[in-house]
Amino acid sequence: MSTVQQEVDERTNLTGSNKFELLLFRLGADATGDRSELFGINVFKVREIVAMPTITAVAGALPHMLGVVNLRGQVIPVVDLPSVVGCKPKTGLNIMLVTEYARTTQGFAVESVEEIVRLDWSQVLSAEASGAGGGMVTSIARLDGDIENTRLAQVLDVEQILRQITPSDGKEVDAANMKKLLLKPGTVILAADDSAVARGLIEQALTAMGAPYVMTKTGKEAWEKLQSISAAAIAEGKTVRDKVAMVLTDLEMPEMDGFTLTRNIKQDERFKFLPVVIHSSLSGSTNEDHVRSVGADAYVAKFVAEELAATIREVVSK
């Protein structure tokens, strides 16, 4: 396990060219008791990996919550990840993945940690597009590339899992207090996010702001849509700025990530003046430095509707 922890520390800074690091782990046998599948989470989300500490049970805890642990002075909740996805560990809950997600820290109990693999986002297919979407999985990673019988890993949708086990009060977007956004007539906000939960929240926020939008599920889909819009604009004797007010993108997405999408936009003469806002659960100064390095106009951590709205207003008004 120490080797895996070292790799997490050494590789967290990797953004590369449409590449990322996937931490692979197992949760135990499936409902039939025959198979123990590989699951994955982006290394960017993993702060550390520790042997399962002593957990303090909390009275009245929600289902799938094991309790809390005191980790170097910080009390964090621990999620029984196998129970969330319907697996049963054969050897117990031995490892805790400490993750940072959308300004919060939490532990995920797993059975075992396997390895870290470096992948190109082109090796990762949208779970929805492949027909394998089950609500808790955003994508399927082909670990050995596009070959027959490649090993597959299910990339978990952390946003969906956390919202499932800690239901919100439904007030993430307070439409009554959202100021309307005045865009140039005929323009839209082009948005990209692979998480169904995130797309729903973004759509609520943009609708509350009165902002027309086009929603896509991957960076590749957004890039292709942007080129299509540009071609249509040229055919009408217009520019892409007459059609698109700005681009709002997640970072972690199959096929093409947000870093690559942003670089593509900013390095293309047709699009380089389009404002790009990165909206991601991968918070922290390191990631914000990477955001600036690829030319994004702003970064906002998920998900506070008022902050997202304020950031959008700021970049659109420039």
Side-chain angles (χ1 to χ4, degrees):
M1 189 173 69
S2 61
T3 301
V4 174
Q5 179 65 58
Q6 182 179 1
E7 289 178 340
V8 170
D9 295 336
E10 291 175 349
R11 299 182 180 185
T12 294
N13 291 326
L14 176 71
T15 56
S17 178
N18 206 40
K19 296 182 183 297
F20 75 113
E21 302 281 356
L22 191 66
L23 174 66
L24 301 177
F25 53 90
R26 296 189 189 274
L27 301 177
D30 60 16
T32 66
D34 296 330
R35 298 177 62 86
S36 180
E37 304 291 359
L38 279 171
F39 293 87
I41 187 172
N42 195 324
V43 168
F44 276 124
K45 282 193 170 82
V46 182
R47 191 177 80 185
E48 58 185 309
I49 302 165
V50 298
M52 184 59 68
T54 300
I55 297 176
T56 299
V58 177
L62 293 168
H64 308 302
M65 299 297 294
L66 293 172
V68 297
V69 299
N70 181 43
L71 190 64
R72 285 182 294 282
Q74 182 180 13
V75 176
I76 63 174
V78 183
V79 178
D80 184 348
L81 196 52
S83 74
V84 173
V85 303
C87 292
K88 185 175 181 179
K90 293 181 178 181
T91 63
L93 297 172
N94 305 309
I95 305 294
M96 185 174 73
L97 309 181
V98 182
T99 67
E100 292 183 344
Y101 159 82
R103 315 169 197 230
T104 64
T105 301
Q106 53 279 314
F108 286 104
V110 304
E111 182 175 38
S112 64
V113 167
E114 298 291 305
E115 61 179 316
I116 290 176
V117 292
R118 181 175 298 183
L119 303 175
D120 191 285
W121 276 110
S122 64
Q123 292 176 243
V124 183
L125 302 179
S126 167
E128 292 181 52
S130 64
M136 287 181 287
V137 176
T138 60
S139 49
I140 305 296
R142 298 172 292 179
L143 302 180
D144 307 308
D146 187 14
I147 62 173
E148 292 292 330
N149 299 317
T150 179
R151 294 175 299 155
L152 299 176
Q154 302 172 62
V155 182
L156 292 176
D157 187 343
V158 178
E159 296 173 65
Q160 173 65 33
I161 290 172
L162 290 179
R163 288 189 179 276
Q164 176 178 316
I165 62 178
T166 55
S168 70
D169 58 7
K171 297 180 180 179
E172 291 95 343
V173 179
D174 186 353
N177 292 324
M178 294 286 278
K179 295 180 181 178
K180 298 299 181 181
L181 177 67
L182 297 178
L183 297 180
K184 180 180 177 180
T187 62
V188 300
I189 292 175
L190 178 61
D193 201 299
D194 67 326
S195 168
V197 169
R199 288 197 303 272
L201 292 171
I202 292 168
E203 289 173 352
Q204 287 181 45
L206 294 179
T207 299
M209 296 171 71
Y213 62 86
V214 173
M215 182 63 70
T216 60
K217 299 176 182 177
T218 71
K220 181 181 178 184
E221 184 183 347
W223 177 239
E224 291 173 348
K225 185 65 177 178
L226 185 58
Q227 294 182 83
S228 174
I229 292 173
S230 177
I234 292 172
E236 298 174 19
K238 299 178 179 179
T239 70
V240 71
R241 288 302 301 268
D242 296 314
K243 299 285 189 178
V244 179
M246 60 162 284
V247 176
L248 177 68
T249 179
D250 188 19
L251 287 181
E252 296 179 281
M253 293 182 290
E255 301 181 306
M256 179 188 292
D257 66 9
F259 288 120
T260 303
L261 173 62
T262 303
R263 276 195 297 267
N264 286 352
I265 292 171
K266 293 302 184 177
Q267 293 175 3
D268 192 305
E269 288 297 322
R270 298 170 296 172
F271 310 133
K272 65 181 183 180
F273 296 111
L274 284 177
V276 177
V277 173
I278 288 180
H279 182 226
S280 175
S281 61
L282 298 178
S283 55
S285 59
T286 298
N287 289 304
E288 293 185 37
D289 288 342
H290 290 316
V291 165
R292 285 188 287 270
S293 73
V294 296
D297 296 86
Y299 169 91
V300 59
K302 292 180 178 177
F303 179 82
V304 178
E306 292 76 11
E307 291 185 12
L308 175 61
T311 303
I312 290 174
R313 288 194 190 90
E314 181 180 353
V315 299
V316 168
S317 64
K318 288 182 179 178

